[in-house]
Amino acid sequence: MIKDYQTQKTLRVLYDVCIVGAGPAGITLALRLAKAGWSVALLEAGGQAYAERSQDFYTCTSSGLELYPHDTRLRFLGGTSNHWAGRCRPFDASDFSDPPPGALPGWPIAYAEVERYLPAAMDIVDLEQGADFRAVNTALNGGEFDADRFLLSPPTRFAQKYAAALNDTPGLDVFINCNCVDLHFDKASGNLASVMVSDYERHREAVVAKQFVLAMGAIENARQLLNSGSLAAAGVVGKDGMVGRCLMDHLNVEMGTFILKSGQDTGLRSYYTSEAFAKTYKAGKGNVSAAVLDQVKTYGRMAEVKQFLESLACRWEVADKIDFIANFSCPGDGIIGTMIEQCPNLQSRVTLHREKDALGVAKVNVNWALTPEDRHTIKCIGTELAKQFADSGEGFIKLNEFVYDTSKPLKLEPHAHHMGTTRMAASPEHGVVDHDCKVFGTNNLYVAGSSIYARGAAANPTMPLLQFALRLVDHLDERLRSANGVVVAS
Ligand SMILES: Cc1cc2nc3c(=O)[nH]c(=O)nc-3n(C[C@H](O)[C@H](O)[C@H](O)COP(=O)(O)OP(=O)(O)OC[C@H]3O[C@@H](n4cnc5c(N)ncnc54)[C@H](O)[C@@H]3O)c2cc1C
């Protein structure tokens, strides 16, 4: 049942599972765990629709590259799926077996751990069962650029699609306008004891559960962990520890323009760096899309943000909010969009700001920062693509100078794929959660969403984060059953 916490303060004394954040990750976890018979609280800060009162809690300061964290995330039921674009590409096995460029390790688990959840994740985002991830074009000659394979979700709007299930699933309490404002950790037992929630009038209450999952998106997951005084006092979250570090996005670099040879098909071309490319150049992975301008009305995936904010602008006069997006129109014969892997970087991070928000939670500063390895990846992708595009007889690419001259400032935009701030690792030295998505140093606090990504490759993050959420459902189900004395079949 969906209840408004402003007016219906009817929390149970104890839940089996408390999930914070009702975006794709939180909704998937809550519905599956409730259907498995567990009592579940799903706590959502926003209401049923966009409202500035909630959205303004996403305001951050920035000391690095601009990430637009206020406008690219949505803080209401369904989360950022209310304006995602629906592009789905699964991870490759090599994303897990190979470390990312740079000094940090990659995934501590094999891809097989999440691959088995791919069909169920596809179903959640309305992709046809058994459908193959399709290439829309052929690979380039030379073996370094495969044709990219992807599918498009309608795109699934989670709050709409799953509204009836959120209302009708027995055992599930969904509280909207219910803000997580603190995490209370009991050092003696090693358990998170409760999540402190608040309505918009600062009425506070503790939500008590056996297991807890943070699913608020990559910036807020880190923020709530950093903000918790009891986690800090217990040494679970250190001031100079890993929480908030390795903030990554996919890089939308303005590569340049292209012209096609006469007679060439003007349809979209989408390429993906091959395994040979990654090994030869010791570089990250990347997707490159080339499209002729008269077929593309708005550049890049920010089209979705633009449409969403324009619809609000008509109703609520927030036209100033769409200013930055106006710059995305690109002139030229053909434009090249990229989605390039960012390697994990300890200095790219979310930290607490000294100011607090209206509910007493510390605001955050976002320092989105790249490394020389990222410039290397961009340069290799750009220069090799230009050669192979010409060699394959497709046409000619004019690269922007900063692509091959790394002394020049880079022009790029984010993709709003926030990842890595609570990365998965084999030990707390390199990450925040273990291979089960459990926060190191705790017995019952888990994280869901792309903040756990040890490496983002160039896979769109949402469908894979659902694979991880489904894996976490199985893990929590097993833990709760064994705690209840039920013998779990191995
Ligand atoms: C324009 C755009 C296009 C995109 N296109 C794609 C795409 O094509 N393919 C793709 O894979 N991905 C895409 N994405 C990314 C995708 O939207 C995210 O990966 C996905 O929404 C993340 O899901 P999540 O559940 O982890 O987090 P979110 O969707 O961000 O949900 C987090 C939830 O937590 C709630 N919350 C936050 N703080 C609190 C709090 N203190 N207390 C309680 N609740 C809280 C929020 O209100 C929200 O409902 C796109 C993003 C944008 C902005």
Side-chain angles (χ1 to χ4, degrees), residues 21 24-25 44-45 72 75-76 79-80 83 85-87 180 301 305 460 462:
E44 168 53 47
T72 49
R75 198 175 185 269
F76 65 98
T80 309
H83 70 184
R87 192 180 194 276
C180 168
R301 305 147 70 68
V305 182
N460 302 80
T462 308

Side-chain angles (χ1 to χ4, degrees), residues 20-27 43-46 54 58 71-89 178-181 215-218 220-221 224 301-305 415-418 448-450 459-465:
V20 190
I27 287 176
L43 313 176
E44 168 53 47
S54 173
Y58 272 169
D71 298 309
T72 49
R73 304 177 289 161
L74 290 176
R75 198 175 185 269
F76 65 98
L77 192 66
T80 309
S81 78
N82 287 297
H83 70 184
W84 79 309
R87 192 180 194 276
C88 297
R89 186 200 202 280
C178 186
N179 299 275
C180 168
V181 292
M216 291 170 279
E220 302 305 304
N221 283 345
Q224 291 293 338
R301 305 147 70 68
M302 292 300 158
E304 295 293 324
V305 182
H415 267 282
H417 296 167
H418 308 148
S450 48
N460 302 80
T462 308
M463 186 186 64
L465 73 80

Side-chain angles (χ1 to χ4, degrees), residues 106-189:
W107 290 99
I109 57 172
Y111 180 52
E113 286 277 328
V114 283
E115 188 177 20
R116 63 182 189 273
Y117 297 100
L118 182 59
M122 289 172 70
D123 186 46
I124 290 169
V125 290
D126 300 304
L127 300 180
E128 193 188 325
Q129 280 303 294
D132 202 9
F133 287 84
R134 284 185 288 268
V136 293
N137 46 272
T138 52
L140 290 177
N141 297 341
E144 281 163 354
F145 291 91
D146 297 332
D148 199 0
R149 295 162 62 248
F150 61 92
L151 285 172
L152 292 175
S153 160
T156 304
R157 306 287 177 220
F158 277 67
Q160 288 159 24
K161 175 173 178 188
Y162 296 106
L166 290 171
N167 260 312
D168 301 339
T169 304
L172 174 60
D173 287 346
V174 183
F175 288 97
I176 55 171
N177 294 315
C178 186
N179 299 275
C180 168
V181 292
D182 203 357
L183 307 174
H184 283 175
F185 184 69
D186 175 37
K187 189 177 177 184
S189 65

Side-chain angles (χ1 to χ4, degrees), residues 59-63 69 351 353 355 363-367:
T59 305
C60 313
T61 57
S62 169
S63 55
T351 50
H353 195 271
E355 272 180 36
K363 294 182 179 179
V364 285
N365 181 67
V366 173
N367 184 54

